[in-house]
Amino acid sequence: MTNNDFTSALWDTADKLRGSVSAAQYKYPVLGLVFLKYVSDLFDAQAKVIRHRIAEPTSDYYIDDPETRERAAAEFAKDKTFYDQDNVFWIPASAHFTTLLSQASAPDLAQRLDRAMGDIEAENPRLKGVLYREFGRLELEPGKLGELMGLVAGIRFNPEDHGSRDVFGEVYEYFLGKFALKEGARAGEFYTPKNVVNLLVEILAPFKGTIYDPACGSGGMFVQSSKFKDAHQAKLGRRGDLAIYGQELMAATRRLCLMNLAVHGLDGNLGESYGDTFGNDQHKTLRADYVLANPPFNISDWGGERLADDPRWVYGIPPKGNANFAWLQHMLARLSARGRAGVVLANGSMSSQQSGEGDIRRAMVEGDVVECMVALPGQLFSNTQIPVCLWFLSKDKAPGVNGRIDRRKQILFIDARKMGAQRISRTQIEFTDAEIEALGQLYHRWRGTDFSDGAEYADELGWCYSASLADVEKHGFVLAPGRYVGVVAADDDDEAFGEKMERLTAQLAEQMAKGAELDAVIREKLGALGYGV
């Protein structure tokens, strides 16, 4: 059985055990138990690592005498120092997965699990306030929790066989995605499809510096950025380094993110606590090199009334009824002098003229902070049918750190609405790896970055176009790629509301006029045949 087959089978069985408990409530204990199994397995594996080090002549811990070495191995395996130095969490014997599994039939298993999670947090400050400790409140039928533990026991995390962090990450990300499908719209609070995250990261290419996500959810942007950095170190011949900052509104989702970071061996500053990024910004002095975010679309209750005079609104006061341009300006305010941002937003942000949004968009274009716009296909998200796009912002489009080619007063438009060749369900598609690479290379060639394959950028009808700000002005500062790449999309998703209504009204009037003409011809023919009409 492959890892994918096993993960799928694990999910199917776990979901059956869920019974009447909602997916929103169930995901936390399931992910908590998988995490417990992971840290317990790595804790056990560390004893073998210690034994290997003291037996390896080139190691600083090498012990020549076999008897002394054996005694030392037993002692060192009890010493927390040898775990901390390798970023391995210390697991008390009473909180170890196998210990709790042996008590799976106990009527107070839920309470024992809560205590175990508390003990692990007490021994590992990085996990303080992170782990799920509400098993006792879970409304599962008797015995179900023990069955779930038995199921999770089948996962093996062994560093000698495979990269355990990667395997855990696969299970974790797979479960988050499946819970997102189960929860529908609620899942937008914590999950962005992996292929959308990959596309953002592929274009933004975070490698060295500070990375920030003001609506970080379960932390997928951070994890994928770290993977990108690791994958490109050898290719570029230099070491990358990313300092992680983020903020999350929901307390439970913030814990998912911290757990996700911990699993992947990443440290992150998510502020002092959960909270509203607009009203309780916990990183006011941050100036990040990269911002990646999928903020909530079109939210109306973002507190705009209280923040009308906020210094973040450099390009105009965002409308009280829609936070899209508040998000964009917040991210611009958190960018360093060379910083760049990649943001997922609803398509309406590209063309809306309501409540001053058109004026803000125009000011951003004239301020030369919009670098690239990507129109995405529908059905990428499991939790919304709203068509979405990607905004890429930049504080520095001149030749230098961000790319060799001077792109000041230019914007790259990419129309990817016909992509998404891989269907994963009746209602959802995703980009293939080849499509993500093609989209990323399109940007990197245009900008002349270190991540480019060296080919020369060229405009391509129906696909991409490098527009001047004068071009954008001719289009009324509407940023929908379909306006620039040379092919009008059939669905007109990016057409401004007023223009669409005008076009449809004209079409209806034309059809009614033709209908009236046809009616007159029919009446004339029937009259000639002697029928009274």
Side-chain angles (χ1 to χ4, degrees):
M1 182 181 285
T2 66
N3 283 338
N4 288 339
D5 291 338
F6 175 76
T7 304
S8 178
L10 179 64
W11 164 262
D12 290 341
T13 309
D15 194 43
K16 288 176 185 175
L17 290 174
R18 179 164 62 91
S20 59
V21 177
S22 71
Q25 186 183 13
Y26 193 58
K27 68 172 174 275
Y28 300 110
V30 170
L31 292 170
L33 287 175
V34 175
F35 180 79
L36 178 61
K37 182 61 165 64
Y38 167 77
V39 295
S40 296
D41 281 4
L42 261 65
F43 178 82
D44 293 342
Q46 186 66 7
K48 294 181 180 179
V49 172
I50 293 169
R51 187 176 296 275
H52 172 75
R53 280 183 182 158
I54 61 177
E56 172 56 53
T58 60
S59 169
D60 292 338
Y61 297 101
Y62 175 64
I63 297 174
D64 184 46
D65 180 62
E67 290 186 15
T68 306
R69 186 192 309 152
E70 194 64 28
R71 289 196 302 272
E75 289 300 316
F76 291 173
K78 301 174 185 176
D79 188 338
K80 192 169 181 286
T81 305
F82 289 91
Y83 294 79
D84 290 341
Q85 69 182 14
D86 284 347
N87 222 12
V88 175
F89 296 114
W90 178 264
I91 310 299
S94 61
H96 196 285
F97 187 91
T98 54
T99 302
L100 293 159
L101 182 62
S102 69
Q103 304 164 6
S105 59
D108 63 341
L109 175 62
Q111 289 71 30
R112 297 186 189 200
L113 283 166
D114 285 337
R115 287 195 296 272
M117 294 297 195
D119 292 343
I120 293 173
E121 286 190 359
E123 291 286 352
N124 302 279
R126 284 176 53 207
L127 295 178
K128 184 174 178 58
V130 173
L131 303 185
Y132 180 79
R133 297 173 60 183
E134 297 183 9
F135 288 97
R137 297 185 183 182
L138 192 62
E139 297 176 356
L140 277 175
E141 298 173 18
K144 292 289 187 182
L145 191 54
E147 287 185 59
L148 184 60
M149 282 201 73
L151 176 66
V152 173
I155 312 175
R156 295 284 185 270
F157 298 109
N158 187 350
E160 293 181 356
D161 297 336
H162 47 64
S164 289
R165 281 178 180 160
D166 290 341
V167 173
F168 183 92
E170 288 174 10
V171 175
Y172 193 87
E173 290 170 6
Y174 182 84
F175 271 40
L176 284 175
K178 297 296 282 188
F179 278 123
L181 287 171
K182 288 286 183 182
E183 291 182 71
R186 287 179 56 90
E189 295 172 357
F190 72 92
Y191 186 74
T192 305
K194 188 178 178 181
N195 72 113
V196 177
V197 176
N198 289 355
L199 178 56
L200 271 173
V201 171
E202 192 69 26
I203 293 177
L204 200 62
F207 187 75
K208 193 174 184 66
T210 301
I211 184 170
Y212 171 57
D213 184 345
C216 63
S218 53
M221 302 288 185
F222 301 138
V223 171
Q224 189 56 37
S225 294
S226 178
K227 289 181 179 179
F228 179 92
K229 179 258 298 179
D230 292 344
H232 285 78
Q233 287 183 138
K235 185 183 298 185
L236 295 177
R238 60 180 187 269
R239 186 172 179 80
D241 185 41
L242 293 173
I244 293 170
Y245 290 82
Q247 185 162 339
E248 171 53 40
L249 176 64
M250 310 296 291
T253 306
R254 182 176 183 271
R255 286 196 295 270
L256 285 181
C257 182
L258 288 167
M259 191 188 301
N260 204 2
L261 292 177
V263 161
H264 288 89
L266 302 174
D267 290 318
N269 181 343
L270 302 191
E272 293 297 319
S273 67
Y274 62 94
D276 168 31
T277 303
F278 293 128
N280 183 22
D281 181 9
Q282 299 189 30
H283 300 293
K284 290 182 178 179
T285 61
L286 177 67
R287 297 298 177 266
D289 299 300
Y290 312 99
V291 174
L292 292 97
N294 173 24
F297 300 157
N298 303 328
I299 55 172
S300 58
D301 55 344
W302 64 278
E305 299 87 349
R306 305 187 307 274
L307 299 168
D309 298 325
D310 196 287
R312 287 173 286 187
W313 317 145
V314 171
Y315 299 96
I317 300 173
K320 298 175 183 177
N322 193 315
N324 288 346
F325 283 89
W327 283 118
L328 290 172
Q329 292 190 85
H330 169 78
M331 294 172 206
L332 281 166
R334 294 295 162 265
L335 286 178
S336 68
R338 67 175 192 181
R340 296 162 52 240
V343 189
V344 184
L345 276 182
N347 271 10
S349 62
M350 299 189 290
S351 57
S352 172
Q353 302 294 336
Q354 298 177 352
S355 305
E357 289 185 336
D359 294 332
I360 299 174
R361 188 171 54 252
R362 174 175 182 156
M364 289 174 62
V365 171
E366 292 177 337
D368 206 18
V369 294
V370 181
E371 183 175 49
C372 176
M373 299 295 301
V374 182
L376 299 180
Q379 294 188 311
L380 283 175
F381 287 74
S382 63
N383 48 41
T384 180
Q385 295 302 310
I386 298 174
V388 299
C389 60
L390 301 182
W391 287 68
F392 289 92
L393 310 175
S394 178
K395 284 290 192 74
D396 182 7
K397 294 159 71 174
V401 175
N402 289 339
R404 293 181 293 277
I405 301 175
D406 189 350
R407 292 298 183 182
R408 285 175 289 188
K409 299 192 181 303
Q410 297 177 62
I411 299 174
L412 175 62
F413 290 95
I414 303 173
D415 192 341
R417 288 178 295 177
K418 302 303 180 185
M419 301 183 80
Q422 199 157 287
R423 180 163 293 279
I424 58 176
S425 73
R426 184 179 59 82
T427 59
Q428 192 174 4
I429 62 173
E430 66 180 13
F431 292 115
T432 64
D433 291 343
E435 287 175 327
I436 291 172
E437 183 179 1
L439 287 163
Q441 281 302 315
L442 195 57
Y443 168 82
H444 292 298
R445 292 169 187 167
W446 179 78
R447 194 67 180 86
T449 75
D450 291 341
F451 303 95
S452 169
D453 59 9
E456 187 175 344
Y457 168 82
D459 294 337
E460 185 175 335
L461 188 66
W463 171 227
C464 59
Y465 183 74
S466 182
S468 68
L469 297 196
D471 292 330
V472 178
E473 183 175 7
K474 291 176 184 176
H475 286 279
F477 297 93
V478 170
L479 298 180
R483 299 289 184 92
Y484 301 88
V485 301
V487 174
V488 178
D491 53 17
D492 285 320
D493 279 337
D494 55 23
E495 188 174 4
F497 179 78
E499 294 175 7
K500 180 178 284 189
M501 288 301 296
E502 184 177 344
R503 177 176 57 79
L504 292 176
T505 300
Q507 289 177 354
L508 180 61
E510 182 180 353
Q511 290 170 1
M512 291 177 66
K514 289 181 178 178
E517 291 176 6
L518 180 60
D519 183 63
V521 170
I522 292 172
R523 287 173 178 271
E524 182 180 346
K525 295 289 186 184
L526 290 174
L529 294 171
Y531 293 97
V533 291

